[in-house]
Amino acid sequence: MELHILEHSLKVASIEKEGIQICTHGLIKLAFLASRTRCKFFSLTETPEDYTIIVDEEGFKELPQSEHISVADATWLALNVVSGGGNTSNSQPIGVTKIAKSVIAPLADHNISVFMLSTYQTDFILVRERDLPMVMHTLSSEFTLLRVVNGETVAAHDLGVTNGFVKPKLVPRPIIHPLSSPSNMFCVTSLDPDTLPSVATLLMDVMFYSGGPKDPGASNEDSSHIRFFSFSLIEGYISLVMDEQTTQRFPNNVLFTSASGELWKMVRIGGQPLGFDECGIVAQISEPLATADIPAYYISTFKFDHALVPEENIQSVIGALRPESTAQ
């Protein structure tokens, strides 16, 4: 297995809901007019609390300075696990549960905080740039380490951390943060970049203006139905995560969907903002799911984490994560 260290220097930021209008011009340029920017890595995720953006330094220049924008205090690098010598972005996702014991757990055991972004195409593990020497030291015995330079993969140089690799102890990690499972069912999908102009107006409405579809027949009593939408444009590949109702707004045959029409349920992690310094949150969730052989997408945002699991597995997931209780 190969671990690719991508060349993008990334910023992670939060945009307050009330401040989104001052950022909309820059965000539309990054999402829909990428050829007019030098940005290669852009992700925008809306949750009930805020918008989280993950963007490279070129893309960050497109955003205004504002009191409504909070930026995490670090530069982040994206790591990508590739099985064999495939291209980073067009390989099928390994899945966060497939890398739980080989990547996520060892980094947690070495006190390295990670920020996860699963997309339709692949899974990105974000680490602080300053942690890279220890990341490479920790994972070098399990992976061939490669850096991506000008789009080409080259051997990663030793950054000076020595004294050998310590195999992590496989000890249970208690889940210390509250869990909840919204009532929405979600789709993880994509679309051909060539078709983006044809749905740009609809996507802009979904992302910035509509606040989600308004269904006159929907019950207002379903307080567990949340607003969640994620758009990523990374090295030319588009990934979308949206609830089932939102997908129905798109024309037929525009979105890529599996033959089974697979739907996903969400587990939200955190009763209050998680911050960036705690280690092991992703491991707490991904290790039990890996043990149960349940696939998952994992999306970290500025304040909370989100795991997406197949709809038919949600009760097993809740049981695996919280044997003594039920997610609310």
Side-chain angles (χ1 to χ4, degrees):
M1 297 282 279
E2 296 176 354
L3 185 75
H4 292 189
I5 304 164
L6 305 190
E7 55 192 325
H8 315 293
S9 295
L10 303 175
K11 298 290 187 182
V12 178
S14 166
I15 304 174
E16 297 173 3
K17 286 290 182 81
E18 56 266 34
I20 192 63
Q21 66 273 12
I22 66 171
C23 301
T24 301
H25 178 270
L27 294 172
I28 287 175
K29 185 176 180 181
L30 291 169
F32 302 102
L33 301 171
S35 61
R36 300 188 184 181
T37 76
R38 297 175 65 185
C39 180
K40 301 298 183 184
F41 195 114
F42 170 69
S43 179
L44 174 72
T45 300
E46 182 186 0
T47 67
E49 296 77 26
D50 64 351
Y51 290 85
T52 294
I53 56 171
I54 307 171
V55 66
D56 61 27
E57 291 179 331
E58 289 295 332
F60 193 72
K61 296 174 183 178
E62 301 291 342
L63 300 177
Q65 292 187 343
S66 169
E67 62 183 8
H68 295 292
I69 302 178
S70 301
V71 184
D73 183 23
T75 297
W76 298 77
L77 298 175
L79 313 178
N80 181 245
V81 175
V82 178
S83 56
N87 176 277
T88 296
S89 293
N90 65 12
S91 58
Q92 283 300 302
I94 300 293
V96 68
T97 54
K98 298 297 184 185
I99 57 175
K101 290 181 170 61
S102 60
V103 179
I104 304 301
L107 294 181
D109 287 334
H110 286 78
N111 206 36
I112 298 168
S113 181
V114 302
F115 195 87
M116 282 296 307
L117 176 64
S118 294
T119 68
Y120 180 83
Q121 290 83 15
T122 192
D123 302 277
F124 297 101
I125 308 116
L126 273 61
V127 298
R128 291 180 174 94
E129 187 173 39
R130 64 175 178 261
D131 289 334
L132 184 60
M134 183 56 74
V135 169
M136 295 177 63
H137 166 65
T138 301
L139 302 178
S140 60
S141 69
E142 298 286 334
F143 294 93
T144 300
L145 302 181
L146 301 169
R147 297 200 73 152
V148 180
V149 180
N150 297 323
E152 300 294 327
T153 53
V154 299
H157 297 298
D158 183 0
L159 296 182
V161 178
T162 57
N163 299 327
F165 175 80
V166 179
K167 195 74 173 179
K169 297 178 181 178
L170 297 179
V171 297
R173 301 176 195 275
I175 294 176
I176 61 176
H177 294 287
L179 306 177
S180 60
S181 183
S183 62
N184 318 47
M185 292 186 290
F186 291 90
C187 299
V188 181
T189 185
S190 181
L191 54 80
D192 186 329
D194 291 340
T195 67
L196 186 59
S198 69
V199 293
T201 301
L202 171 57
L203 267 175
M204 289 180 199
D205 183 59
V206 170
M207 293 166 73
F208 303 116
Y209 301 110
S210 70
K214 304 296 190 300
D215 182 355
S219 170
N220 293 324
E221 298 177 1
D222 186 3
S223 60
S224 66
H225 188 284
I226 70 162
R227 173 73 177 151
F228 187 95
F229 181 86
S230 186
F231 174 95
S232 298
L233 176 57
I234 299 174
E235 297 182 347
Y237 293 89
I238 295 171
S239 177
L240 298 160
V241 180
M242 65 187 94
D243 67 20
E244 186 182 21
Q245 289 76 18
T246 303
T247 63
Q248 294 171 0
R249 301 178 61 184
F250 286 79
N252 292 333
N253 302 319
V254 168
L255 300 177
F256 298 156
T257 55
S258 65
S260 61
E262 191 166 32
L263 295 174
W264 301 76
K265 292 285 286 185
M266 177 185 290
V267 176
R268 294 191 93 205
I269 301 100
Q272 58 185 5
L274 297 171
F276 291 87
D277 294 325
E278 183 181 345
C279 301
I281 298 174
V282 181
Q284 290 165 14
I285 303 301
S286 61
E287 284 186 299
L289 299 185
T291 300
D293 198 27
I294 296 173
Y297 290 90
Y298 199 105
I299 298 176
S300 301
T301 60
F302 204 86
K303 296 182 178 179
F304 298 101
D305 281 10
H306 309 81
L308 292 165
V309 300
E311 176 192 6
E312 65 270 18
N313 293 126
I314 185 62
Q315 292 306 319
S316 299
V317 167
I318 291 171
L321 297 180
R322 277 287 170 83
E324 303 301 324
S325 64
T326 302
Q328 299 297 314

